[in-house]
Amino acid sequence: MSVVELMKHSIELKVPLAIGTLQWGTTWLDDKVVNHHGNLSDETCRDIVDICTAAGVTLYDTAEGYGGGTSEKRLGRLFSSAPPVFMTKFLPAPWRLWHSDFEAAVRASCQRMKIDCIPIYLLHSPVHWCRSIEYWVEAAALCKKKGLLQAMGLSNCNADQVRRAVAAGERYGVPVICNQVHSSLLDYNSKALQEMEATCRELGVKIVAFSPIGQGLLTGGLTTEKWQHNKPAKMLRLQWDDIQPLRATIEEKAQKDGKTMGQVALNWCIQHNVIPLVGCRSVEQARDSVGCLGWSLDEKDVRDLDKVALSKSTLESPQWRRLFFVSLFGVVMVVCRTMDHLGLGHVVRS
């Protein structure tokens, strides 16, 4: 089994695949708003973990904002004896202004996940109304000196922001090792994404791709009804006809290799030296996701897919929209956390 080096001499992954837990929160708000089919049971999450562990997966992604921290708590319960590589995030909400806010968030995440030191701690967004990305990198360096985190990561950063963060990390003494972004065949040919990927390669920053199958856009199970409610399609302002040539090419490669369309889309990420981050809500999704491992698309198939990839990237979103998202997400995080602290609305399906 190949080893993926995420940070020299420090963090290694057995396979290039990460599992996302956005939908593993347990509050009433998660049950009614985030998880359209209801919150997952601990048993289902355990079964997903067992399948992924058997395939060699060791990287799990979460955030303090997912279920107000209840996703982190669930991971802490599931891995109480032998935690894998946890990757969680700090949300730079407008009311968070100081290094002490950052440290308090790190300590709270450690407590929820039942660990002393977070392997990879991400800045969930580079935008803030008054604090620069360098300020938060300095905060991460202070936490690293206290043994609270091992390395820093980024999320939703463009080429310039990656370069600034890496330079700040070198200055303050914390390695910036990854950038988690929307990266898939839906936006591969975007100029902003291409520039960011080139900068990451130059600086040794690993790209972790969220929504690598477009939340179903690049799978065989897409229907017109699912299309109407698909978030990446709305974020990228896609039309139904926009994705048909791409889907046809993916399906052709899937039939050729005896794989599913989702497995082809994930393996395409891996061939580009990107770690796909997949959200798993069921045992079936977990099995299909790990099926992207242990084989490789040939070079011609990768080139064919590159040619039909789309070119609209979330990195091109205006700053006001990203600030609005962070603010809204911050409010939702506070509401979920308040419900959890009060013992209200803890909903887990059987």
Side-chain angles (χ1 to χ4, degrees):
M1 193 175 292
S2 62
V3 173
V4 181
E5 188 179 75
L6 197 56
M7 185 173 82
K8 291 182 179 179
H9 314 300
S10 194
I11 298 175
E12 290 182 340
L13 310 177
K14 291 182 180 179
V15 296
L17 182 66
I19 301 302
T21 63
L22 169 63
Q23 295 180 314
W24 288 23
T26 62
T27 69
W28 178 89
L29 200 60
D30 288 294
D31 191 61
K32 300 301 180 183
V33 179
V34 179
N35 301 324
H36 299 297
H37 300 288
N39 288 346
L40 301 180
S41 67
D42 278 353
E43 181 181 3
T44 296
C45 291
R46 169 55 64 191
D47 290 342
I48 292 172
V49 166
D50 288 344
I51 290 168
C52 294
T53 299
V57 177
T58 53
L59 181 59
Y60 285 79
D61 175 80
T62 184
E64 61 167 345
Y66 296 171
T70 57
S71 172
E72 290 179 326
K73 283 186 175 182
R74 198 197 290 262
L75 285 174
R77 293 195 302 271
L78 291 171
F79 292 101
S80 57
S81 57
V85 178
F86 285 147
M87 181 165 58
T88 190
K89 309 178 193 73
F90 168 79
L91 185 70
W95 53 87
R96 287 175 154 173
L97 299 173
W98 313 108
H99 288 163
S100 58
D101 295 322
F102 189 95
E103 181 177 334
V106 173
R107 291 185 182 277
S109 288
C110 284
Q111 184 177 17
R112 287 189 290 266
M113 294 187 292
K114 300 180 181 179
I115 56 177
D116 297 322
C117 176
I118 298 172
I120 312 171
Y121 196 64
L122 276 63
L123 179 63
H124 209 150
S125 172
V127 298
H128 191 275
W129 69 278
C130 71
R131 292 302 187 193
S132 67
I133 195 170
E134 288 85 356
Y135 184 83
W136 299 123
V137 175
E138 183 181 15
L142 294 172
C143 287
K144 177 174 171 56
K145 291 176 182 178
K146 295 179 180 180
L148 296 173
L149 62 85
Q150 192 172 349
M152 185 180 185
L154 307 170
S155 185
N156 301 299
C157 284
N158 61 27
D160 177 66
Q161 290 160 343
V162 170
R163 192 173 296 279
R164 286 169 51 196
V166 170
E170 293 173 349
R171 183 162 66 249
Y172 294 123
V174 61
V176 176
I177 67 171
C178 65
N179 186 24
Q180 188 180 121
V181 295
H182 189 289
S183 177
S184 72
L185 282 160
L186 294 171
D187 53 8
Y188 175 71
N189 285 317
S190 156
K191 181 180 179 181
L193 190 72
Q194 291 280 345
E195 290 176 350
M196 182 276 298
E197 289 190 346
T199 299
C200 285
R201 285 194 300 270
E202 174 193 342
L203 300 176
V205 175
K206 196 73 173 179
I207 296 173
V208 179
F210 67 79
S211 292
I213 55 175
Q215 296 183 22
L217 289 183
L218 305 181
T219 68
L222 182 66
T223 63
T224 53
E225 181 180 359
K226 291 180 180 178
W227 162 264
Q228 292 173 358
H229 299 94
N230 186 274
K231 292 179 181 177
K234 294 177 180 178
M235 289 170 57
L236 297 173
R237 300 182 181 181
L238 299 174
Q239 300 298 317
W240 175 260
D241 291 341
D242 293 340
I243 65 171
Q244 298 314 311
L246 171 58
R247 283 179 52 80
T249 305
I250 295 173
E251 186 174 13
E252 174 194 331
K253 306 305 179 186
Q255 292 177 353
K256 170 178 170 287
D257 289 326
K259 303 296 180 181
T260 67
M261 289 178 64
Q263 289 166 353
V264 168
L266 294 176
N267 194 270
W268 173 87
C269 290
I270 294 171
Q271 301 314 309
H272 280 279
N273 201 29
V274 169
I275 298 176
L277 167 64
V278 292
C280 289
R281 277 193 51 86
S282 68
V283 167
E284 291 73 20
Q285 287 180 347
R287 287 177 178 150
D288 190 70
S289 295
V290 299
C292 75
L293 301 170
W295 63 282
S296 298
L297 287 163
D298 64 38
E299 292 183 6
K300 180 182 181 303
D301 288 340
V302 173
R303 289 196 302 271
D304 289 345
L305 289 165
D306 289 351
K307 291 176 183 177
V308 294
L310 304 186
S311 58
K312 297 180 180 180
S313 173
T314 57
L315 292 177
E316 297 165 353
S317 297
Q319 181 154 321
W320 70 262
R321 184 177 298 166
R322 301 172 83 176
L323 279 168
F324 174 77
F325 168 78
V326 171
S327 301
L328 179 62
F329 196 25
V331 171
V332 172
M333 177 180 72
V334 171
V335 171
C336 287
R337 189 163 297 170
T338 301
M339 295 175 68
D340 184 49
H341 285 336
L342 296 176
L344 300 174
H346 183 82
V347 180
V348 175
R349 302 293 182 183
S350 59

